[in-house]
């Protein structure tokens, strides 16, 4: 219908275009360039940059749902880390009996094992998200202080339950054979798992952009992030939309948990809490409710973390916070502020 | 006499601890335009939001097309056949004009003939079809907000101060558009611009301090300057 109308729109007058805000896109390029000058060795820089992109994509996968959940219903969910942990444990549970596939010297078998583990983790975390929304989130709509307290409580309970079920020891998560080591091109080494993580992150990002821009549900989500009341006044039940987004966001956090555990190759029930500090920094930097901002923020935070870990290990942890402060001084609402009623 | 399309009887609305609507009663007959007048802060917007279910009435009865809508959720009220053009317009600025209008058509892609009809009085909507709503001028945003409300036929359209902040030439255009709309549906219009309201309205209700202080035919009010002064000009003193 849009195309039909487009052909009818023959007017010669200039149509106002959205000001495409490209300045934030220059930030990762500038940061990478600066790091290149400071690091000096191109191979080291490339390794760190690929590590940063992989880490950034994983954080994006985890954070994207959380930023939409906030944008749509102003819900602050500190329990999001629980879905990361659940994803990691579910994947471990699936991969255990599949050890022969994981260790086989066959890309197909390795991928099959990984795909099954990721599928179970994603759907498991999504289902848990549905329950979490109903039991933990729903009673505290519109009450921010209670939301913070009760979602933190939910996270602690989830972590303790995982301890009780799986034991409190550190778990090992072996990378499948095909994803160990690096692809070497000349003197350049590209770690295989990092490439995989980047690919998965990009696929999630593109799928999300397509959904948000090309489907009716996606339009409703974008409209709802801007003005949920008006979406309701048009006759749509924003609650259902929110529950769907919450479950999808939890599912993605589960997928992110699998990737993160494989990346680290070891984890405990605290895996969620570890990542969540970075996740919150990322969604604040990006602009709460903005998926594009979240994507860019994740790359920036991961670059900062990887470059400073090499250049100045002592300030590595503080670097993300410094980055956030700097960006918020420039744009107090984040890189891509979402228009709110 | 036929039952009115919409009626409010003794409606009270609290916002937090504030008692805003204090027993509002009026009716909107089917067809034509009913205008709700009153000074700033009289409670007109609150009345529309209460009809839409965006505020919950604390007492009283609201009926629409024979059904009690007082306790219903906003999406259900919209689906019963009421469209809303809020005072803030609430266009989705991140979405294009096309996307804004497409979302408002709940039952599928907008009917091309219907769109042409809308373009006939709001040609800017056609010109800016692919533009993001955020870059439209104030008047164009108002046109978009109204287009959204009429892209599918609804039984009642609530419009809150559509002329606010608009240039006189654009207001003239709005009068033409509303004349056209009045022919197919019922409109409840909130206005401050009396000339605009008088040139369109069939019935009128005047609010002050959360109550209805006058209701009747628009022609009678338009012809009676003393009554206008009493109700609108010096409405602060009108019932004290
Ligand atoms: N969200 C709100 N919180 C508190 N008071 C409000 C709110 N909205 C409106 N009011 C108060 O309710 C009264 C009626 O407001 P409103 O319905 O917007 O009037 P009108 O549309 O007639 O100008 C005003 O005194 C206003 O200050
Ligand atoms: Mg008002």
């Amino acid at each position: 219908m849009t195309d039909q109308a487009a052909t009818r729109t023959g007017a010669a007058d200039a149509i106002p275009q959205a000001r495409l805000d490209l300045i934030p896109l220059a930030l990762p390029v500038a940061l990478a360039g600066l790091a290149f000058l400071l690091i000096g060795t191109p191979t080291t820089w490339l390794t760190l940059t690929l590590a940063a992109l992989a880490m950034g994509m994983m954080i994006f996968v985890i954070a994207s749902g959380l930023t939409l959940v906030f944008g749509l219903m102003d819900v602050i969910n500190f329990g999001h880390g629980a879905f990361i942990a659940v994803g990691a444990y579910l994947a471990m549970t699936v991969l255990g009996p599949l050890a022969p596939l994981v260790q086989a010297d066959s890309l197909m078998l390795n991928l099959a094992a990984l795909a099954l583990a990721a599928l179970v983790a994603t759907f498991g975390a999504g289902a848990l998200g549905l329950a979490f929304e109903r039991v933990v989130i729903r009673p505290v709509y519109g009450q921010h202080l209670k939301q913070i307290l009760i979602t933190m409580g939910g996270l602690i309970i989830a972590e303790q339950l995982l301890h009780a079920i799986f034991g409190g020891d550190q778990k090992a998560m072996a990378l499948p054979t095909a994803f160990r080591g690096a692809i070497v091109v000349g003197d350049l080494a590209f770690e295989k798992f990092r490439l995989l993580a980047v690919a998965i992150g990009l696929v999630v990002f593109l799928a999300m952009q397509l959904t948000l821009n090309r489907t009716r549900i996606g339009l409703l989500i974008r409209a709802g992030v801007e003005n949920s009341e008006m979406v309701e006044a048009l006759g749509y039940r924003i609650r259902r939309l929110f529950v769907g987004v919450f479950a999808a966001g939890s599912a993605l956090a589960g997928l992110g948990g699998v990737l993160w555990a494989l990346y680290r190759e070891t984890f405990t029930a605290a895996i969620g809490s570890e990542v969540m500090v970075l996740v919150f920094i990322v969604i604040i930097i990006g602009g709460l409710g903005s998926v594009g901002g979240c994507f860019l923020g994740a790359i920036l935070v991961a670059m900062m973390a990887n470059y400073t870990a090499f250049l100045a290990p002592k300030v590595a942890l503080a670097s993300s916070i410094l980055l956030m402060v700097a960006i918020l001084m420039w744009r107090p609402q984040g890189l891509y502020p979402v228009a709110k009623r | 006499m036929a039952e009115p399309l919409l009626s409010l009887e003794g409606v009270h609305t609290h916002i937090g601890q504030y008692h805003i609507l204090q027993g509002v009663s009026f009716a909107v007959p089917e067809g034509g335009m009913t205008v709700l007048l009153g000074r700033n802060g009289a409670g007109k917007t609150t009345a529309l939001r209460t009809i839409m279910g965006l505020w919950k009435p604390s007492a009283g009865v609201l009926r629409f097309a024979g059904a009690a809508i007082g306790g219903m959720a906003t999406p259900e009220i919209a689906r019963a056949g009421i469209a809303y053009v809020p005072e803030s317009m609430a266009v989705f600025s991140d979405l294009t004009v096309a996307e804004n209008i497409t979302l408002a058509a709940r039952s599928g892609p907008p009917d091309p003939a219907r769109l042409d009809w809308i373009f006939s009085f709001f040609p800017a909507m056609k010109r800016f079809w692919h533009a993001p709503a955020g870059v439209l001028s104030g008047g164009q945003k108002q046109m978009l907000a109204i287009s959204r409300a009429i892209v599918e036929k609804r039984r009642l359209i609530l419009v809150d101060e559509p002329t606010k902040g608009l240039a006189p030439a654009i207001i003239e255009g709005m009068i033409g558009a509303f004349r056209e709309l009045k022919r197919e549906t019922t409109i409840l219009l909130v206005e401050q611009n009396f000339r605009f309201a008088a040139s369109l309205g069939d019935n009128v209700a005047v609010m002050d301090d959360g109550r209805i202080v006058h209701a009747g035919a628009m022609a009678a009010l338009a012809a009676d300057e003393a009554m206008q002064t009493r109700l609108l000009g010096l409405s602060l003193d009108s019932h004290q």
Side-chain angles (χ1 to χ4, degrees), chain A residues 56-286:
Chain A
M57 290 302 105
M58 288 187 274
I59 296 179
F60 166 72
V61 169
I62 291 168
S64 53
L66 195 63
T67 200
L68 283 179
V69 159
F70 183 87
L72 213 47
M73 300 289 271
D74 279 1
V75 165
I76 306 173
N77 178 17
F78 278 97
H80 197 64
F83 308 123
I84 303 173
V86 165
Y89 279 97
L90 283 176
M92 179 191 80
T93 311
V94 172
L95 288 177
L98 295 183
L101 296 188
V102 174
Q103 285 152 18
D105 201 4
S106 147
L107 178 64
M108 287 313 288
L109 292 181
N110 290 171
L111 271 180
L114 265 194
L116 188 64
L119 217 63
V120 170
T122 306
F123 279 93
L128 183 74
L130 279 181
F132 196 87
E133 195 277 335
R134 178 153 284 228
V135 177
V136 179
I137 305 275
R138 201 170 295 187
V140 290
Y141 270 124
Q143 303 166 290
H144 278 166
L145 184 62
K146 284 191 184 168
Q147 271 169 20
I148 294 172
L149 296 175
I150 199 170
T151 56
M152 278 185 164
L155 174 63
I156 293 169
I157 291 171
E159 285 185 358
Q160 293 309 313
L161 277 176
L162 288 171
H163 270 158
I165 297 170
F166 295 98
D169 53 327
Q170 188 151 7
K171 304 294 179 194
M173 188 90 145
L175 271 178
T177 318
F179 296 103
R180 288 194 205 132
I183 297 172
V184 180
V185 184
D187 355 316
L188 305 178
F190 300 91
E191 281 197 41
K192 291 178 193 164
F193 180 71
R194 291 177 182 173
L195 291 175
L196 179 71
V198 170
I200 291 174
L202 283 177
V203 167
V204 169
F205 178 64
L206 290 178
M208 223 160 179
Q209 288 298 331
L210 278 178
T211 309
L212 286 175
N213 291 303
R214 294 291 155 79
T215 69
R216 197 175 183 83
I217 296 273
L219 287 186
L220 281 173
I221 293 171
R222 284 166 58 210
V225 165
E226 192 172 330
N227 191 337
S228 55
E229 207 170 61
M230 194 60 216
V231 170
E232 295 220 286
L234 289 179
Y236 298 98
R237 298 167 184 102
I238 199 99
R239 291 253 349 130
R240 288 192 191 174
L241 198 63
F242 175 74
V243 171
V245 168
F246 195 93
S250 312
L252 284 174
L255 175 64
V258 181
L259 295 174
W260 195 264
L262 283 167
Y263 177 64
R264 288 288 164 94
E265 301 194 47
T266 127
F267 65 95
T268 67
I271 179 176
S273 323
E274 287 161 27
V275 193
M276 283 312 288
V277 177
L278 291 180
V279 166
F280 276 111
I281 292 177
V282 161
I283 63 177
I284 291 168
I285 285 181

Side-chain angles (χ1 to χ4, degrees), chain B residues 40-41 43-46 87 160-161 164 190 192:
Chain B
N40 249 324
K44 307 179 296 295
T45 296
T46 306
E87 201 172 0
D160 200 345
E161 296 203 35
K164 201 169 78 175
V190 164
Q192 297 266 21

Side-chain angles (χ1 to χ4, degrees), chain B residues 5 23 167 236:
Chain B
L5 180 62
L236 265 177

